[in-house]
Amino acid sequence: MIPLTNANVNNKNNNANGSKIAEQLSNVQKVRQLIKIVNTGNLENVENSIHEEYFNHESHIDVSSIQDLPENILQQIRMRNQLSGPAEFIDTVKSLRNAFTDLIYEEKEIHSDHNMVIAHYIVRGTHTGPFFAFPPTGRYFKYEAFQTYRFENGKIK
């Protein structure tokens, strides 16, 4: 795993190494663009970074063990669970931005190796809108997150 710094960019011993570093930098930039979209809610050009088979493991909910959810919430979750690709990412961003209007992912570290990018964030915001079955609390939150992004054909899958 190579932490991506300017020193890594300037250390090109041969064309293969330079090509690998360029690919890793491109992948890191795509992840940063993705997080910028989450932070701003600006959904332009999502298709340029998100693979058609994109799958977000965090946003799919197994409702089989959840009791007493209203039918309209269950229906909403079932519909979301069928989404993938750019449509799923767009729906996730809209849901998050509607529920946590000041949501921010602050990058702490980012590393790339071949077709993987791993990022460490501080995530914070205030719960100001409904989030599925959870009404807004008005409470501020802050936590650390580590996310792994896998790339296929130059897009996040």
Side-chain angles (χ1 to χ4, degrees), residues 19 77 111 116 118-119 136:
S19 176
I77 291 170
H111 301 274
M116 299 286 284
I118 298 172

Side-chain angles (χ1 to χ4, degrees), residues 73-90:
I73 300 297
L74 284 171
Q75 209 169 14
Q76 183 183 2
I77 291 170
R78 286 185 193 114
M79 286 176 54
R80 268 199 54 66
N81 284 350
Q82 293 178 10
L83 294 175
S84 64
E88 192 279 333
F89 180 76
I90 289 168

Side-chain angles (χ1 to χ4, degrees), residues 126-150:
T126 308
H127 186 189
T128 55
F131 190 63
F132 296 105
F134 305 102
T137 63
R139 292 185 180 151
Y140 174 81
F141 64 89
K142 180 179 176 182
Y143 66 92
E144 287 188 69
F146 292 84
Q147 296 185 336
T148 303
Y149 304 88
R150 186 169 58 89

Side-chain angles (χ1 to χ4, degrees), residues 2-61:
I2 299 174
L4 291 179
T5 65
N6 289 334
N8 295 122
V9 176
N10 296 324
N11 187 17
K12 295 180 182 178
N13 295 331
N14 57 45
N15 287 342
N17 188 34
S19 176
K20 182 178 180 181
I21 290 173
E23 176 187 25
Q24 291 175 354
L25 285 172
S26 174
N27 290 348
V28 165
Q29 287 308 110
K30 288 175 185 170
V31 168
R32 286 180 171 149
Q33 180 60 33
L34 195 76
I35 295 305
K36 183 177 179 182
I37 291 168
V38 173
N39 284 343
T40 64
N42 181 348
L43 297 165
E44 292 179 24
N45 301 318
V46 167
E47 295 81 14
N48 294 337
S49 298
I50 300 293
H51 193 279
E52 302 77 37
E53 296 174 16
Y54 170 84
F55 182 80
N56 181 350
H57 296 271
E58 290 179 325
S59 70
H60 284 67
I61 301 168

